[in-house]
Amino acid sequence: MKTILVTGGCGYIGSHTIVDLIEHGFHVISIDDNSCSTDIALIGIEKITGKKIKNYKVDLKDYNDTRAVFQENENIIGIIHFAAYKAVGESVEKPLSYYENNIFGLINLLKCVEEFKVPHFVFSSSCTVYGNPDFIPVTENSPIKEAESPYGATKQMGERIIKDFSFVVKNTSCILLRYFNPVGAHPSSFIGELPIGKPMNLVPAITQTAIGKLPKMFVHGNDYDTRDGSCVRDYIHVCDIANAHTLGLQYLIQQKNTSRCDVFNLGTGNGVTVLEAIKTFEKVSGVKLNYEIGNRRAGDVVAIYANNELAIEKLNWKIKYNLDTMMKTAWDWELRLKAEDDLLKQQSLLN
Ligand code: WQD
């Protein structure tokens, strides 16, 4: 059976993309070493789709283990590569682990793509490749400036590696999807973002503070040159991001010219400040958030949001979710996690 391999399939965007792929008729397997995730996502995927996903608990930095997955699954027609470390602030503190994990993993995977002649490769890239843009919104042709963090640098290098690879490996077509800020959760609340340890990204920090897991959160700076002093981002629902991956794969499958490498921005085109995101959360959840203005965070870009016209036109991408729904689904997911924690505590008290 024709198979799509999703690396990082137990992760936030990977799990939502697997759901979308299944809903569009694809058979999917996953590689995820669970260094930044757990198998809980696979349970959620099964609840939503009724499908059990096979996950190979393999570290992509181990070439032989990675290659063995391809030997066992000869009919992989496409790969969607998510598996990478992705926290901007953390990458500033641990650059070597980011370069080792994100670059070595990609190279091992591409070696297998070449050996096993996988025809289609979709890469999870990021708007961080633009650095601090001089003009916004950014288009796919906006200058690639100095990355503001090692995370962004690994995405810039990843894109260059894939472009050079697709130039020589004629039977593989590639697509680079530059996400802006994926947030929210599947409307079923069966899958969502599960940060391990203290959340570094804004929305899980908001929902964990609101639910009481964190005593308060800090806004990393309100003295930037923006409309309210806090940083501007293009928040986009994770299900819209997931659907863009399915559309990207279908786009590659339909294209005749195989040795291609297309780039698309995946954002809503709306810039939202941190303080506006917090206000929207408070509106949809009815919870007053306990936050303080803190220092700026190293690696932060001041303002960025997408010109997304190319993805809408070429991939026939339709954005379904607005900021209210992004915050509402994120909150519903956090509420579900708490309900399950409370149930587990009650059961442990009874046992
Ligand atoms: C957003 C804003 C923070 C936490 C993310 C992903 C990265 C890439 C791009 C896909 C910043 C502020 C945050 C907090 C805060 N996506 N913030 N208090 O850094 O834009 O990067 O999107 O590839 O993978 O990490 O997202 O959510 O960390 O920060 O004030 O407790 O929220 O300073 O201005 P970022 P983020």
Side-chain angles (χ1 to χ4, degrees):
M1 184 189 292
K2 289 183 178 175
T3 299
I4 305 299
L5 167 61
V6 172
T7 73
C10 297
Y12 176 40
I13 305 174
S15 55
H16 286 79
T17 300
I18 289 177
V19 167
D20 200 83
L21 287 166
I22 291 169
E23 287 173 348
H24 287 80
F26 287 102
H27 173 253
V28 184
I29 60 172
S30 164
I31 286 180
D32 195 316
D33 65 359
N34 292 146
S35 59
C36 301
S37 64
T38 69
D39 283 350
I40 290 175
L42 301 178
I43 298 166
I45 291 168
E46 189 174 355
K47 283 181 184 171
I48 297 167
T49 66
K51 302 276 188 195
K52 237 185 200 337
I53 297 298
K54 180 164 181 49
N55 178 57
Y56 293 85
K57 207 169 183 119
V58 161
D59 180 345
L60 293 176
K61 295 193 291 298
D62 184 320
Y63 174 65
N64 292 325
D65 285 356
T66 302
R67 188 175 178 278
V69 175
F70 288 81
Q71 282 178 308
E72 191 180 313
N73 297 273
E74 279 145 27
N75 41 24
I76 294 173
I77 61 150
I79 294 176
I80 304 184
H81 178 41
F82 294 103
Y85 297 157
K86 62 112 185 169
V88 169
E90 183 186 51
S91 75
V92 175
E93 295 154 17
K94 303 175 183 170
L96 290 187
S97 77
Y98 269 69
Y99 289 114
E100 182 186 43
N101 188 64
N102 293 5
I103 302 303
F104 284 10
L106 172 63
I107 290 171
N108 280 342
L109 198 58
L110 290 175
K111 284 179 180 174
C112 294
V113 168
E114 184 170 17
E115 180 185 351
F116 294 90
K117 296 182 173 35
V118 178
H120 309 298
F121 188 84
V122 179
F123 179 60
S124 159
S125 189
S126 161
C127 62
T128 44
V129 303
Y130 296 110
N132 243 322
D134 297 323
F135 302 100
I136 44 178
V138 290
T139 71
E140 288 80 359
N141 299 314
S142 291
I144 300 297
K145 293 179 65 183
E146 171 86 10
E148 291 292 310
S149 66
Y151 166 76
T154 67
K155 291 300 181 182
Q156 287 179 342
M157 287 175 207
E159 289 197 359
R160 177 62 199 264
I161 290 167
I162 294 164
K163 281 174 185 164
D164 292 345
F165 171 85
S166 71
F167 184 72
V168 289
V169 177
K170 293 301 181 199
N171 52 14
T172 299
S173 61
C174 301
I175 196 168
L176 312 176
L177 298 178
R178 293 175 180 166
Y179 318 154
F180 285 68
N181 286 57
V183 296
H186 191 273
S188 66
S189 298
F190 285 140
I191 52 176
E193 197 165 4
L194 265 178
I196 300 210
K198 190 172 180 299
M200 284 164 271
N201 292 125
L202 177 65
V203 172
I206 289 175
T207 58
Q208 288 197 16
T209 302
I211 203 102
K213 275 185 189 169
L214 295 173
K216 71 176 150 187
M217 67 163 283
F218 290 91
V219 170
H220 296 321
N222 71 339
D223 57 352
Y224 288 101
D225 182 17
T226 65
R227 52 181 174 267
D228 63 17
S230 63
C231 291
V232 176
R233 293 289 184 275
D234 184 333
Y235 297 100
I236 176 153
H237 198 284
V238 64
C239 289
D240 281 327
I241 291 279
N243 183 243
H245 284 77
T246 304
L247 293 171
L249 195 59
Q250 291 170 332
Y251 169 81
L252 288 181
I253 292 168
Q254 286 149 16
Q255 298 307 308
K256 296 290 170 272
N257 162 17
T258 52
S259 65
R260 63 186 307 126
C261 187
D262 296 80
V263 184
F264 295 102
N265 282 342
L266 297 184
T268 62
N270 304 318
V272 172
T273 72
V274 173
L275 292 170
E276 288 165 350
I278 289 174
K279 281 189 187 61
T280 302
F281 173 80
E282 291 180 326
K283 177 185 75 174
V284 301
S285 65
V287 175
K288 183 91 183 75
L289 197 68
N290 182 19
Y291 70 90
E292 274 180 35
I293 304 297
N295 298 325
R296 291 184 173 193
R297 181 175 72 176
D300 268 344
V301 161
V302 180
I304 189 164
Y305 57 92
N307 175 314
N308 60 5
E309 290 161 9
L310 198 61
I312 288 170
E313 183 209 334
K314 295 281 185 190
L315 303 185
N316 193 27
W317 186 40
K318 293 175 182 58
I319 295 168
K320 300 187 185 80
Y321 300 91
N322 62 21
L323 188 64
D324 284 15
T325 310
M326 294 177 214
M327 293 300 177
K328 181 73 174 62
T329 53
W331 183 230
D332 289 345
W333 165 246
E334 192 68 63
L335 288 169
R336 178 186 180 82
L337 289 176
K338 178 160 185 352
E340 286 179 357
D341 280 351
D342 292 349
L343 189 62
L344 284 172
K345 282 182 193 127
Q346 282 163 13
Q347 283 166 344
S348 63
L349 286 173
L350 291 172
N351 297 340

